[in-house]
Amino acid sequence: MRRRVLALIMAAVMIVPFAACGQEPPTEKTSSGDVFKIGAYLPLSGPTAAYGIEGKNALDMAIKEINENGGFNGVPAELVAYDTQCSVEEAVKVASKLLQEDKVDAMIGSLVSSEVFATGNVVNNAGVYMLGTGTSPNWMEEDWPYVFRAAMNNGASAPGTADMLKELDYKTVSIFYGQDDNALSTKDAFSAACEERGIEVVASESYDQGDTDFSAQAANLINADADCVYLSVLGETAPVIVKQLRQYGYNGMIFNKESFMTAQIPVAGEENSNHIAFVMPYVTYDSIEDIDIPEIKTFAEKYDAAYGEINKTDSAYRCWDAIMVMWEASKIAKSNDSDALKDATNQISGMKGLGGTIDFTDGNREGYNNYNSFILVDGKNVLWSDWIKNGGYEDFKNAAGQEK
C-alpha cells in the first residue's frame, strides 16, 4: 500500500510544478483516538510574517477553546504548525512533512494562495481534509473535493468592486498589480468585471515581489489620468504603493482587492490612508471600543486577553473561521474521519462566522458567498452604503477639488 501511494505521489511531483511527495493516508483516514492532529503551514517569517503569526495565534486560541468544550467528538485537538518562510518550495516541504511524518488528521492551508495551490493536490490526493486560508480564486477552481475555504474569494469580490466604480459613474481605471497567483487572477477578474460595466482600463503597471520603489509605476498610473486606481497586490505592498501614489500627488480614490488593514496604516501613513475602498466580509479595528459587530468584538476580546492587543490583520479571522468550520463539520458528521468531515462540510448552512453567514450548501466548497463594501476614512472603516448615503462622496470631491 505504501509503495503504491508513494508511486502516485512521485508521479504527481513530476507533473505538478513545485509539488512534493505526499503521504500514505491512514487506512481509515481518521485520528488515532488519542488526539486529533491538525497540521498547519503558515508564513511565520519573511515579508508576510505578521499575517502568519496572527493566523497561528488564532489557531492556538481556537484549539484551546475547542478542547475546553469537548474537542472533536471527545478527542482533544493538537496543532502542529510549520513556517513556510513565505516560500512555495518551503511550503511544499513542510506540507509533505505534515502528511508523511506527522501523519496529521486534517490540515489548515497557508494564508498565501500560491502555497496552497502548490500543495493542495497532494493533500487532496492523500484524502486529508483541509481548509485553505488564502484568498485567490484559482486554487479553489481545482477539482479538490477535500479542500475547502472559509475565507473570502478575491475573484468573487471583483464584481462588487467594479460596481462601486459604476456607482460613482467612473469610466476609467488604472491598475497596479503583482505577479503572484492571487494578484494576477484577481486583476483579471476585476478587469473582466469592468469591461462588462463599460469601464475602461487605461493603464496597467506591475511589480516583482520584493520591490519597494514604485516611483516609475506610480508616475505612469497618475499620468494616465484615470478616474481611480485599483490595487491587486500582496498585503505588504499595498501600503507602500499607497504612500508613493499620495507622495506623487495622487489624491483620488484607491480601490484595493482586499481590506486595508490596521497594520498597514502606519506604513502608508495615516494622512495617506483615506478613501481606500474594498469589498470584504470583515475589517480590522484600532480598539475593541470601535467594534460594533458582536462576533468580531468577542473575538477581539479573546485575542486581546491572550496576546495583550487585538489583531491588526484579517489573517486571524480567516484562521479562526477555518478551525470553527472544521469543528462544526465534526459535530455534523459525529466523526473525525476525513471523508465524513468532507461530506459534513457540504451540509453546513447558516453558521455564524466572523464575516457573516457561512454556508457550503452551494457545493462550491466556499463558505462565504456574500461580502460587504467598505471605505477607509480618517482611520476608520465605514460601510460604503452609509458613506454614500451620508454625503461622503460629495465631501470627498469637494476636498479633492474634483468634478468627477
Side-chain angles (χ1 to χ4, degrees), residues 8-82:
L8 289 172
I9 291 167
M10 289 304 295
V13 170
M14 297 175 66
I15 295 170
V16 182
F18 299 115
C21 56
Q23 77 164 109
E24 175 186 1
T27 304
E28 300 297 331
K29 288 180 287 187
T30 187
S31 69
S32 65
D34 297 328
V35 66
F36 183 69
K37 195 178 292 187
I38 302 172
Y41 53 105
L42 302 164
L44 303 176
S45 63
T48 59
Y51 303 91
I53 290 168
E54 287 204 347
K56 183 179 181 300
N57 286 346
L59 294 179
D60 288 334
M61 282 171 48
I63 286 176
K64 182 176 184 292
E65 180 164 319
I66 289 168
N67 286 342
E68 289 173 351
N69 289 276
F72 283 78
N73 294 301
V75 179
E78 174 187 308
L79 181 69
V80 182
Y82 292 122

Side-chain angles (χ1 to χ4, degrees), residues 381-399:
N381 290 297
V382 180
L383 280 171
W384 176 262
S385 56
D386 289 346
W387 183 70
I388 294 291
K389 180 177 64 178
N390 295 329
Y393 183 52
E394 297 304 318
D395 293 341
F396 161 74
K397 288 193 295 183
N398 292 335

Side-chain angles (χ1 to χ4, degrees), residues 150-311:
M152 78 170 298
N153 178 331
N154 284 134
S157 74
T161 307
D163 285 338
M164 297 164 86
L165 273 65
K166 187 75 173 176
E167 187 172 1
L168 301 185
D169 199 29
Y170 283 170
K171 300 293 193 296
T172 58
V173 59
S174 293
I175 298 178
F176 184 64
Y177 65 95
Q179 297 295 331
D180 61 286
D181 168 70
N182 195 346
L184 288 170
S185 55
T186 305
K187 182 264 293 184
D188 290 344
F190 175 74
S191 298
C194 285
E195 184 177 1
E196 290 173 0
R197 291 157 179 77
I199 301 168
E200 182 184 2
V201 177
V202 295
S204 293
E205 293 288 334
S206 66
Y207 71 98
D208 293 321
Q209 188 170 351
D211 289 352
T212 56
D213 181 3
F214 309 119
S215 54
Q217 296 100 315
N220 290 337
L221 291 170
I222 294 169
N223 290 336
D225 196 29
D227 292 335
C228 60
V229 173
Y230 177 77
L231 306 181
S232 184
V233 301
L234 290 169
E236 69 269 20
T237 304
V240 180
I241 184 60
V242 164
K243 183 176 183 178
Q244 293 183 23
L245 282 168
R246 298 301 193 204
Q247 287 176 334
Y248 276 84
Y250 179 72
N251 61 0
M253 291 282 294
I254 296 174
F255 292 85
N256 201 28
K257 76 174 172 65
E258 53 200 20
S259 69
F260 203 75
M261 293 172 276
T262 305
Q264 296 170 307
I265 294 175
V267 179
E270 290 185 16
E271 70 281 6
N272 299 321
S273 300
N274 274 325
H275 302 111
I276 301 173
F278 48 87
V279 175
M280 281 289 285
Y282 29 52
V283 294
T284 53
Y285 299 86
D286 281 327
S287 67
I288 293 173
E289 290 69 31
D290 291 335
I291 305 172
D292 56 4
I293 300 171
E295 291 77 17
I296 296 284
K297 188 166 189 174
T298 299
F299 174 83
E301 289 170 343
K302 292 175 183 177
Y303 195 99
D304 180 62
Y307 304 108
E309 61 179 358
I310 66 171
N311 59 297

